[in-house]
Amino acid sequence: MTVKLTSRMEGPTCVIALEGEINSTTSGGLQAQLLPFIGQEGRVLVDLSGVSYISSAGLRTLLIVHRRAQQLQARVTLVGLSEEVRFVMSATGFLDFFEVADDLDSALERAGR
């Protein structure tokens, strides 16, 4: 199984939509795909509304993305977390690392489109 990644630009904001399960099998490839989108002082919205499951390996991938963003003074916002993904991220403290938005429209509005 793989995680499908699609990206597009909305003005100065990069929107990355993920679809599938983020687990030990898919997280390495996903990390390699995500990191190039984290640019200096940029804004990236990661739409997780199509992600039904995230494992500890997936959380590690998101943490690496967060650290890269910090190094480059970029901003990463997670969008559209399912109840299960939100629960896992909340229970492990990972929600504290990210800005979170309920939906893409509100995230883009906050980003200033």
Side-chain angles (χ1 to χ4, degrees), residues 14-109:
C14 180
V15 178
I16 301 168
L18 303 178
E19 205 174 306
E21 294 184 357
I22 306 174
N23 54 40
S24 59
T25 304
T26 62
S27 62
L30 178 60
Q31 179 180 320
Q33 290 180 350
L34 279 175
L35 287 177
F37 288 104
I38 309 302
Q40 285 193 301
E41 299 179 20
R43 185 165 206 35
V44 177
L45 304 179
V46 181
D47 184 355
L48 297 172
S49 60
V51 173
S52 57
Y53 173 81
I54 189 165
S55 71
S56 59
L59 292 175
R60 181 180 178 278
T61 295
L62 291 180
L63 182 60
I64 289 168
V65 167
H66 166 72
R67 288 183 177 156
R68 173 68 62 87
Q70 278 188 314
Q71 290 171 345
L72 299 175
Q73 298 179 347
R75 297 178 71 187
V76 175
T77 301
L78 303 181
V79 179
L81 304 177
S82 69
E83 283 186 42
E84 181 178 341
V85 171
R86 185 180 291 270
F87 175 79
V88 169
M89 292 188 75
S90 177
T92 56
F94 275 74
L95 277 184
D96 297 337
F97 296 123
F98 296 94
E99 290 182 33
V100 177
D102 289 334
D103 58 65
L104 199 51
D105 286 337
S106 64
L108 285 167
E109 190 173 305

